[in-house]
Protein backbone atom coordinates (compact mmCIF):
# COMPACT_ATOMS: atom_id res chain seq x y z
CA UNK A 1 0.00 0.00 0.00
CA UNK A 2 2.74 2.39 0.99
CA UNK A 3 4.63 1.54 -2.20
CA UNK A 4 1.54 2.11 -4.35
CA UNK A 5 1.02 5.52 -2.76
CA UNK A 6 4.65 6.40 -3.30
CA UNK A 7 4.41 5.44 -6.97
CA UNK A 8 1.16 7.37 -7.41
CA UNK A 9 2.71 10.33 -5.64
CA UNK A 10 5.71 10.15 -7.91
CA UNK A 11 3.51 10.08 -10.98
CA UNK A 12 1.52 13.06 -9.70
CA UNK A 13 4.73 14.96 -9.03
CA UNK A 14 5.98 14.21 -12.55
CA UNK A 15 2.72 15.49 -14.01
CA UNK A 16 2.89 18.64 -11.92
CA UNK A 17 6.50 19.33 -12.82
CA UNK A 18 5.59 18.77 -16.47
CA UNK A 19 2.63 21.12 -16.22
CA UNK A 20 4.76 23.74 -14.52
CA UNK A 21 7.40 23.55 -17.24
CA UNK A 22 5.03 24.51 -20.03
CA UNK A 23 3.23 27.84 -20.33
CA UNK A 24 -0.40 27.82 -21.44
CA UNK A 25 0.64 28.76 -24.97
CA UNK A 26 3.20 25.96 -24.99
CA UNK A 27 0.60 23.44 -23.75
CA UNK A 28 -1.72 24.55 -26.52
CA UNK A 29 1.03 24.12 -29.10
CA UNK A 30 1.90 20.68 -27.72
CA UNK A 31 -1.70 19.59 -28.19
CA UNK A 32 -1.66 20.54 -31.90
CA UNK A 33 -2.22 17.46 -34.06
CA UNK A 34 -2.23 18.90 -37.56
CA UNK A 35 -4.47 20.43 -40.19
CA UNK A 36 -7.76 18.60 -40.80
CA UNK A 37 -8.72 17.13 -44.18
CA UNK A 38 -12.18 18.36 -45.17
CA UNK A 39 -12.05 17.98 -48.93
CA UNK A 40 -12.81 14.85 -50.93
CA UNK A 41 -9.68 15.15 -53.01
CA UNK A 42 -6.23 16.66 -52.71
CA UNK A 43 -3.62 17.13 -55.40
CA UNK A 44 0.14 17.54 -55.16
CA UNK A 45 3.08 17.72 -57.51
CA UNK A 46 6.56 16.72 -56.32
CA UNK A 47 9.60 18.50 -57.71
CA UNK A 48 12.62 16.17 -58.19
CA UNK A 49 15.41 18.36 -59.55
CA UNK A 50 18.56 17.11 -57.85
CA UNK A 51 20.69 14.11 -58.82
CA UNK A 52 22.04 13.47 -55.32
CA UNK A 53 20.79 9.93 -54.46
CA UNK A 54 19.99 11.14 -50.93
CA UNK A 55 17.66 13.80 -52.37
CA UNK A 56 16.10 11.38 -54.89
CA UNK A 57 15.41 8.89 -52.10
CA UNK A 58 14.00 11.65 -49.92
CA UNK A 59 11.60 12.69 -52.69
CA UNK A 60 10.36 9.12 -53.17
CA UNK A 61 10.06 8.54 -49.41
CA UNK A 62 8.27 11.86 -48.91
CA UNK A 63 5.81 11.12 -51.69
CA UNK A 64 4.99 7.74 -50.19
CA UNK A 65 4.59 9.33 -46.77
CA UNK A 66 2.05 11.76 -48.23
CA UNK A 67 0.13 8.91 -49.92
CA UNK A 68 0.06 7.08 -46.59
CA UNK A 69 -0.86 10.03 -44.38
CA UNK A 70 -4.09 8.90 -42.69
CA UNK A 71 -5.63 12.30 -43.47
CA UNK A 72 -4.99 11.91 -47.21
CA UNK A 73 -5.19 8.15 -47.73
CA UNK A 74 -7.18 7.40 -50.88
CA UNK A 75 -7.82 11.11 -51.48
CA UNK A 76 -4.52 12.20 -53.00
CA UNK A 77 -3.80 12.63 -56.72
CA UNK A 78 -0.05 13.00 -57.05
CA UNK A 79 2.41 13.80 -59.81
CA UNK A 80 6.17 13.46 -59.75
CA UNK A 81 8.09 15.64 -62.18
CA UNK A 82 11.83 15.31 -62.75
CA UNK A 83 14.12 17.90 -64.28
CA UNK A 84 17.74 18.97 -64.00
CA UNK A 85 19.72 16.36 -62.02
CA UNK A 86 16.54 14.62 -60.89
CA UNK A 87 16.40 12.98 -64.31
CA UNK A 88 19.08 10.54 -63.14
CA UNK A 89 16.39 8.64 -61.25
CA UNK A 90 14.66 7.79 -64.54
CA UNK A 91 17.69 6.58 -66.50
CA UNK A 92 17.41 2.91 -67.42
CA UNK A 93 19.57 0.94 -65.02
CA UNK A 94 18.95 3.25 -62.05
CA UNK A 95 18.04 1.59 -58.79
CA UNK A 96 14.63 3.26 -58.65
CA UNK A 97 12.80 1.30 -61.37
CA UNK A 98 10.63 -0.76 -59.01
CA UNK A 99 9.78 2.19 -56.76
CA UNK A 100 8.79 4.29 -59.77
CA UNK A 101 6.72 1.48 -61.26
CA UNK A 102 4.90 1.00 -57.98
CA UNK A 103 4.10 4.73 -57.91
CA UNK A 104 2.62 4.48 -61.41
CA UNK A 105 0.55 1.47 -60.33
CA UNK A 106 -0.72 3.54 -57.38
CA UNK A 107 -1.97 6.15 -59.86
CA UNK A 108 0.84 8.67 -59.46
CA UNK A 109 1.72 10.53 -62.70
CA UNK A 110 5.46 10.11 -63.26
CA UNK A 111 6.85 12.65 -65.72
CA UNK A 112 10.08 13.96 -67.16
CA UNK A 113 11.00 17.45 -68.43
CA UNK A 114 11.69 17.51 -72.21
CA UNK A 115 14.01 20.51 -71.83
CA UNK A 116 16.36 18.58 -69.60
CA UNK A 117 16.48 15.68 -72.08
CA UNK A 118 17.39 18.19 -74.77
CA UNK A 119 19.94 20.12 -72.69
CA UNK A 120 21.66 16.91 -71.60
CA UNK A 121 21.40 15.13 -74.97
CA UNK A 122 19.44 12.25 -73.48
CA UNK A 123 17.32 10.27 -75.96
CA UNK A 124 13.87 9.34 -74.72
CA UNK A 125 14.68 5.64 -74.94
CA UNK A 126 17.40 6.13 -72.33
CA UNK A 127 14.75 6.74 -69.66
CA UNK A 128 12.26 4.09 -68.55
CA UNK A 129 9.59 3.40 -71.16
CA UNK A 130 6.75 3.98 -68.72
CA UNK A 131 7.70 7.64 -68.03
CA UNK A 132 5.63 10.47 -69.52
CA UNK A 133 7.32 13.57 -70.97
CA UNK A 134 6.20 17.19 -70.44
CA UNK A 135 7.48 20.29 -72.33
CA UNK A 136 9.20 21.71 -69.24
CA UNK A 137 9.28 20.73 -65.60
CA UNK A 138 9.01 24.37 -64.57
CA UNK A 139 5.97 24.94 -66.80
CA UNK A 140 4.39 21.86 -65.25
CA UNK A 141 4.91 23.22 -61.72
CA UNK A 142 3.42 26.59 -62.70
CA UNK A 143 0.37 25.08 -64.44
CA UNK A 144 -0.35 22.68 -61.59
CA UNK A 145 -0.15 25.40 -58.96
CA UNK A 146 -2.48 27.54 -61.06
CA UNK A 147 -4.89 24.57 -61.07
CA UNK A 148 -4.79 24.53 -57.25
CA UNK A 149 -2.33 21.71 -56.75
CA UNK A 150 0.12 21.85 -53.84
CA UNK A 151 3.82 21.72 -54.66
CA UNK A 152 6.51 20.05 -52.60
CA UNK A 153 10.24 20.23 -53.16
CA UNK A 154 11.82 17.79 -50.69
CA UNK B 1 31.19 80.16 -55.85
CA UNK B 2 33.19 78.54 -58.60
CA UNK B 3 33.71 75.49 -56.38
CA UNK B 4 30.00 75.24 -55.59
CA UNK B 5 29.17 75.37 -59.29
CA UNK B 6 31.71 72.68 -60.02
CA UNK B 7 30.26 70.44 -57.30
CA UNK B 8 26.71 71.03 -58.52
CA UNK B 9 27.85 70.37 -62.07
CA UNK B 10 29.47 67.15 -60.96
CA UNK B 11 26.31 66.04 -59.21
CA UNK B 12 24.24 66.83 -62.28
CA UNK B 13 26.66 64.90 -64.46
CA UNK B 14 26.45 61.91 -62.13
CA UNK B 15 22.66 62.00 -62.28
CA UNK B 16 22.71 62.22 -66.07
CA UNK B 17 25.16 59.36 -66.44
CA UNK B 18 22.98 57.33 -64.09
CA UNK B 19 19.84 58.16 -66.08
CA UNK B 20 21.59 57.33 -69.31
CA UNK B 21 22.74 53.98 -67.98
CA UNK B 22 19.24 52.69 -67.32
CA UNK B 23 16.64 52.04 -70.00
CA UNK B 24 13.04 53.01 -69.27
CA UNK B 25 12.22 49.38 -68.47
CA UNK B 26 15.19 49.21 -66.12
CA UNK B 27 14.16 52.44 -64.38
CA UNK B 28 10.68 51.01 -63.93
CA UNK B 29 12.10 47.83 -62.46
CA UNK B 30 14.37 49.82 -60.12
CA UNK B 31 11.33 51.64 -58.77
CA UNK B 32 9.57 48.37 -57.84
CA UNK B 33 9.03 48.18 -54.07
CA UNK B 34 7.19 44.90 -53.70
CA UNK B 35 3.73 43.37 -53.69
CA UNK B 36 1.12 45.21 -51.63
CA UNK B 37 -0.73 43.65 -48.69
CA UNK B 38 -4.46 44.11 -49.15
CA UNK B 39 -5.83 41.27 -47.02
CA UNK B 40 -6.45 41.33 -43.29
CA UNK B 41 -4.69 38.06 -42.72
CA UNK B 42 -1.98 35.98 -44.34
CA UNK B 43 -0.94 32.44 -43.58
CA UNK B 44 2.30 30.62 -44.23
CA UNK B 45 3.84 27.25 -43.41
CA UNK B 46 7.63 26.88 -43.27
CA UNK B 47 9.23 23.60 -44.30
CA UNK B 48 12.26 22.65 -42.18
CA UNK B 49 13.56 19.36 -43.58
CA UNK B 50 17.33 19.63 -43.43
CA UNK B 51 19.59 19.01 -40.44
CA UNK B 52 22.38 21.32 -41.60
CA UNK B 53 22.61 23.99 -38.84
CA UNK B 54 23.04 26.65 -41.55
CA UNK B 55 19.72 25.63 -43.09
CA UNK B 56 17.96 25.39 -39.70
CA UNK B 57 19.19 28.88 -38.80
CA UNK B 58 18.12 30.18 -42.20
CA UNK B 59 14.60 28.80 -41.67
CA UNK B 60 14.30 30.45 -38.27
CA UNK B 61 15.75 33.75 -39.52
CA UNK B 62 13.50 33.70 -42.60
CA UNK B 63 10.41 33.03 -40.51
CA UNK B 64 11.24 35.94 -38.21
CA UNK B 65 11.87 38.17 -41.22
CA UNK B 66 8.41 37.32 -42.54
CA UNK B 67 6.81 38.07 -39.16
CA UNK B 68 8.62 41.42 -39.12
CA UNK B 69 7.94 42.42 -42.72
CA UNK B 70 6.14 45.79 -42.37
CA UNK B 71 3.57 44.59 -44.92
CA UNK B 72 2.68 41.52 -42.84
CA UNK B 73 3.29 42.69 -39.26
CA UNK B 74 0.45 41.54 -37.02
CA UNK B 75 -1.34 39.91 -39.96
CA UNK B 76 0.59 36.68 -40.36
CA UNK B 77 -0.43 33.27 -39.01
CA UNK B 78 2.60 31.01 -39.35
CA UNK B 79 3.37 27.35 -38.85
CA UNK B 80 6.76 25.68 -38.75
CA UNK B 81 6.82 21.98 -39.61
CA UNK B 82 9.93 19.84 -39.22
CA UNK B 83 10.60 16.50 -40.86
CA UNK B 84 13.56 14.53 -42.10
CA UNK B 85 16.82 16.11 -40.86
CA UNK B 86 14.98 19.24 -39.72
CA UNK B 87 13.89 17.30 -36.65
CA UNK B 88 17.36 17.85 -35.18
CA UNK B 89 16.32 21.39 -34.29
CA UNK B 90 13.68 20.03 -31.89
CA UNK B 91 15.83 17.48 -30.05
CA UNK B 92 16.20 18.36 -26.38
CA UNK B 93 19.60 19.94 -25.87
CA UNK B 94 19.68 21.64 -29.28
CA UNK B 95 20.68 25.28 -29.32
CA UNK B 96 17.32 26.39 -30.71
CA UNK B 97 15.13 25.94 -27.60
CA UNK B 98 14.79 29.65 -26.81
CA UNK B 99 14.19 30.67 -30.44
CA UNK B 100 11.51 27.99 -30.82
CA UNK B 101 9.85 28.96 -27.52
CA UNK B 102 9.76 32.58 -28.59
CA UNK B 103 8.08 31.56 -31.86
CA UNK B 104 5.42 29.67 -29.91
CA UNK B 105 4.88 32.70 -27.67
CA UNK B 106 4.43 34.81 -30.83
CA UNK B 107 1.61 32.48 -31.90
CA UNK B 108 3.54 30.41 -34.43
CA UNK B 109 2.48 26.74 -34.56
CA UNK B 110 5.60 24.62 -34.11
CA UNK B 111 5.09 21.03 -35.25
CA UNK B 112 6.95 17.79 -35.85
CA UNK B 113 6.28 14.99 -38.37
CA UNK B 114 5.31 11.70 -36.67
CA UNK B 115 6.66 9.67 -39.59
CA UNK B 116 10.15 11.01 -39.05
CA UNK B 117 10.01 10.18 -35.34
CA UNK B 118 9.00 6.64 -36.29
CA UNK B 119 11.57 6.24 -39.10
CA UNK B 120 14.39 7.51 -36.87
CA UNK B 121 13.24 5.73 -33.70
CA UNK B 122 12.92 8.98 -31.79
CA UNK B 123 10.59 8.88 -28.78
CA UNK B 124 8.35 11.91 -28.38
CA UNK B 125 9.97 12.79 -25.07
CA UNK B 126 13.27 13.28 -26.86
CA UNK B 127 11.93 16.41 -28.55
CA UNK B 128 10.94 19.55 -26.63
CA UNK B 129 7.73 19.10 -24.66
CA UNK B 130 6.10 22.16 -26.20
CA UNK B 131 6.24 20.78 -29.78
CA UNK B 132 3.05 19.53 -31.46
CA UNK B 133 3.09 16.36 -33.57
CA UNK B 134 1.35 15.89 -36.96
CA UNK B 135 0.84 12.58 -38.84
CA UNK B 136 3.24 13.57 -41.63
CA UNK B 137 5.07 16.76 -42.51
CA UNK B 138 4.28 16.25 -46.18
CA UNK B 139 0.58 15.78 -45.48
CA UNK B 140 0.66 18.98 -43.43
CA UNK B 141 2.21 20.93 -46.34
CA UNK B 142 -0.41 19.58 -48.75
CA UNK B 143 -3.36 20.32 -46.48
CA UNK B 144 -2.16 23.83 -45.68
CA UNK B 145 -1.63 24.71 -49.34
CA UNK B 146 -5.10 23.37 -50.10
CA UNK B 147 -6.40 25.72 -47.37
CA UNK B 148 -4.71 28.65 -49.17
CA UNK B 149 -1.61 28.96 -47.04
CA UNK B 150 1.68 29.95 -48.66
CA UNK B 151 4.58 27.54 -48.31
CA UNK B 152 8.22 28.48 -47.95
CA UNK B 153 11.20 26.13 -48.02
CA UNK B 154 14.25 28.24 -47.11
CA UNK C 1 11.57 -8.49 -100.83
CA UNK C 2 12.73 -11.05 -98.30
CA UNK C 3 14.90 -8.44 -96.63
CA UNK C 4 12.03 -5.96 -96.44
CA UNK C 5 9.82 -8.60 -94.81
CA UNK C 6 12.54 -9.42 -92.33
CA UNK C 7 12.95 -5.75 -91.41
CA UNK C 8 9.20 -5.29 -91.08
CA UNK C 9 8.99 -8.46 -89.01
CA UNK C 10 11.76 -7.18 -86.79
CA UNK C 11 9.98 -3.87 -86.27
CA UNK C 12 6.73 -5.65 -85.42
CA UNK C 13 8.54 -7.86 -82.93
CA UNK C 14 10.12 -4.80 -81.32
CA UNK C 15 6.72 -3.16 -81.00
CA UNK C 16 5.22 -6.30 -79.50
CA UNK C 17 8.03 -6.73 -77.00
CA UNK C 18 7.62 -3.08 -76.10
CA UNK C 19 3.87 -3.45 -75.68
CA UNK C 20 4.34 -6.54 -73.55
CA UNK C 21 6.79 -4.78 -71.28
CA UNK C 22 4.37 -2.07 -70.24
CA UNK C 23 1.18 -2.63 -68.29
CA UNK C 24 -1.91 -0.67 -69.30
CA UNK C 25 -1.31 1.79 -66.46
CA UNK C 26 2.30 2.21 -67.55
CA UNK C 27 1.23 2.81 -71.18
CA UNK C 28 -1.21 5.44 -69.96
CA UNK C 29 1.50 7.13 -67.94
CA UNK C 30 3.90 7.04 -70.90
CA UNK C 31 1.32 8.86 -73.00
CA UNK C 32 1.07 11.73 -70.49
CA UNK C 33 2.22 15.00 -72.09
CA UNK C 34 1.63 17.49 -69.30
CA UNK C 35 -0.95 19.79 -67.80
CA UNK C 36 -2.86 21.95 -70.27
CA UNK C 37 -2.82 25.76 -70.21
CA UNK C 38 -6.38 27.07 -70.22
CA UNK C 39 -5.91 30.52 -68.67
CA UNK C 40 -4.92 33.70 -70.47
CA UNK C 41 -2.26 34.56 -67.95
CA UNK C 42 -0.03 32.79 -65.49
CA UNK C 43 2.14 34.26 -62.77
CA UNK C 44 5.18 32.87 -61.01
CA UNK C 45 7.77 34.08 -58.53
CA UNK C 46 11.22 32.48 -58.44
CA UNK C 47 13.08 32.18 -55.14
CA UNK C 48 16.85 32.71 -55.46
CA UNK C 49 18.28 32.29 -51.97
CA UNK C 50 21.54 30.43 -52.45
CA UNK C 51 24.91 31.89 -53.44
CA UNK C 52 26.24 28.70 -55.04
CA UNK C 53 26.86 29.68 -58.72
CA UNK C 54 25.39 26.31 -59.78
CA UNK C 55 22.14 27.16 -58.00
CA UNK C 56 22.08 30.75 -59.32
CA UNK C 57 22.57 29.48 -62.87
CA UNK C 58 19.89 26.85 -62.34
CA UNK C 59 17.42 29.53 -61.21
CA UNK C 60 18.12 31.68 -64.28
CA UNK C 61 17.97 28.70 -66.65
CA UNK C 62 14.76 27.42 -65.05
CA UNK C 63 13.12 30.83 -65.30
CA UNK C 64 13.99 31.06 -68.98
CA UNK C 65 12.70 27.53 -69.54
CA UNK C 66 9.38 28.54 -68.01
CA UNK C 67 9.17 31.66 -70.20
CA UNK C 68 9.86 29.48 -73.25
CA UNK C 69 7.52 26.61 -72.38
CA UNK C 70 5.19 26.45 -75.41
CA UNK C 71 2.22 26.22 -73.03
CA UNK C 72 3.13 29.48 -71.29
CA UNK C 73 4.84 31.48 -74.04
CA UNK C 74 3.61 35.08 -73.95
CA UNK C 75 1.27 34.31 -71.05
CA UNK C 76 3.67 34.34 -68.11
CA UNK C 77 4.25 37.23 -65.71
CA UNK C 78 7.35 36.36 -63.71
CA UNK C 79 9.23 37.82 -60.75
CA UNK C 80 12.66 36.88 -59.49
CA UNK C 81 13.36 37.64 -55.85
CA UNK C 82 16.80 37.25 -54.29
CA UNK C 83 17.59 36.98 -50.62
CA UNK C 84 20.19 35.31 -48.42
CA UNK C 85 23.12 34.06 -50.56
CA UNK C 86 21.14 34.62 -53.76
CA UNK C 87 22.00 38.31 -53.45
CA UNK C 88 25.48 37.52 -54.80
CA UNK C 89 24.00 37.34 -58.30
CA UNK C 90 23.05 41.03 -58.10
CA UNK C 91 26.37 42.41 -56.86
CA UNK C 92 27.98 44.73 -59.39
CA UNK C 93 30.71 42.83 -61.16
CA UNK C 94 28.90 39.47 -61.03
CA UNK C 95 28.76 37.51 -64.28
CA UNK C 96 24.98 37.65 -64.44
CA UNK C 97 24.48 41.32 -65.43
CA UNK C 98 23.50 40.63 -69.04
CA UNK C 99 21.20 37.72 -68.18
CA UNK C 100 19.46 39.81 -65.52
CA UNK C 101 19.11 42.80 -67.86
CA UNK C 102 17.60 40.59 -70.55
CA UNK C 103 15.07 39.27 -68.00
CA UNK C 104 14.07 42.84 -67.14
CA UNK C 105 13.70 43.65 -70.85
CA UNK C 106 11.44 40.57 -71.17
CA UNK C 107 9.18 42.06 -68.49
CA UNK C 108 10.37 39.96 -65.54
CA UNK C 109 10.38 41.82 -62.21
CA UNK C 110 13.86 41.47 -60.71
CA UNK C 111 13.93 42.26 -57.00
CA UNK C 112 16.16 42.15 -53.96
CA UNK C 113 15.29 41.63 -50.27
CA UNK C 114 16.04 44.73 -48.13
CA UNK C 115 16.55 42.59 -45.03
CA UNK C 116 19.44 40.76 -46.61
CA UNK C 117 21.09 44.04 -47.64
CA UNK C 118 20.78 45.19 -44.03
CA UNK C 119 21.94 41.90 -42.47
CA UNK C 120 24.97 41.74 -44.78
CA UNK C 121 25.78 45.48 -44.65
CA UNK C 122 25.42 45.83 -48.42
CA UNK C 123 24.66 49.37 -49.64
CA UNK C 124 22.06 49.59 -52.39
CA UNK C 125 24.61 51.03 -54.82
CA UNK C 126 26.62 47.79 -54.55
CA UNK C 127 23.88 45.91 -56.45
CA UNK C 128 22.98 46.65 -60.07
CA UNK C 129 21.13 49.95 -60.47
CA UNK C 130 18.24 48.35 -62.34
CA UNK C 131 17.25 46.04 -59.44
CA UNK C 132 14.12 46.79 -57.38
CA UNK C 133 14.12 46.38 -53.60
CA UNK C 134 11.35 44.80 -51.50
CA UNK C 135 11.02 44.89 -47.68
CA UNK C 136 11.67 41.14 -47.33
CA UNK C 137 12.04 38.30 -49.79
CA UNK C 138 9.98 36.06 -47.56
CA UNK C 139 7.17 38.60 -47.32
CA UNK C 140 7.23 38.89 -51.10
CA UNK C 141 6.85 35.11 -51.50
CA UNK C 142 3.94 35.06 -49.04
CA UNK C 143 2.12 37.99 -50.64
CA UNK C 144 2.54 36.64 -54.16
CA UNK C 145 1.24 33.18 -53.21
CA UNK C 146 -1.73 34.83 -51.53
CA UNK C 147 -2.38 36.66 -54.83
CA UNK C 148 -2.44 33.30 -56.63
CA UNK C 149 1.08 33.29 -58.04
CA UNK C 150 2.98 30.02 -58.31
CA UNK C 151 6.31 29.79 -56.49
CA UNK C 152 9.37 27.92 -57.64
CA UNK C 153 12.56 27.33 -55.69
CA UNK C 154 15.03 25.71 -58.11
Amino acid sequence: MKQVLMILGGMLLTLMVHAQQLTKTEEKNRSFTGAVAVKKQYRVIYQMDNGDPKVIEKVLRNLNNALNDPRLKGKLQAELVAFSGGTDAYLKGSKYEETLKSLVEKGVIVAQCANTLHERNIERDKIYDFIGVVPSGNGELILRQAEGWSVIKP
Side-chain angles (χ1 to χ4, degrees), chain A residues 101-122:
Chain A
K101 276 187 174 173
S102 81
L103 287 175
V104 170
E105 292 304 326
K106 284 175 195 168
V108 176
I109 300 169
V110 178
Q112 166 61 35
C113 167
N115 265 339
T116 302
L117 295 183
H118 182 73
E119 285 165 4
R120 305 195 167 199
N121 287 312
I122 300 170

Side-chain angles (χ1 to χ4, degrees), chain A residues 9-23 26-27:
Chain A
M11 283 167 71
L12 192 63
L13 195 67
T14 307
L15 280 170
M16 284 167 68
V17 167
H18 176 71
Q20 281 171 345
Q21 278 173 337
L22 297 187
T23 65
E26 287 170 358
E27 280 287 1

Side-chain angles (χ1 to χ4, degrees), chain A residues 38-117:
Chain A
V38 293
K39 297 187 178 184
K40 288 189 181 170
Q41 220 212 351
Y42 290 89
R43 298 167 300 170
V44 66
I45 181 165
Y46 275 78
Q47 173 180 350
M48 182 162 67
D49 62 344
N50 192 313
D52 180 343
K54 279 187 193 165
V55 178
I56 291 175
E57 281 149 35
K58 190 178 172 190
V59 174
L60 301 173
R61 194 171 60 242
N62 278 198
L63 175 44
N64 273 307
N65 278 344
L67 291 167
N68 291 324
D69 187 302
R71 298 171 292 178
L72 296 170
K73 194 114 188 167
K75 291 179 170 186
L76 188 61
Q77 168 65 62
E79 180 172 340
L80 171 63
V81 68
F83 58 94
S84 193
T87 302
D88 289 0
Y90 292 171
L91 293 176
K92 283 176 183 171
S94 83
K95 55 182 169 178
Y96 309 109
E97 183 173 7
E98 290 315 312
T99 308
L100 294 169
K101 276 187 174 173
S102 81
L103 287 175
V104 170
E105 292 304 326
K106 284 175 195 168
V108 176
I109 300 169
V110 178
Q112 166 61 35
C113 167
N115 265 339
T116 302
L117 295 183

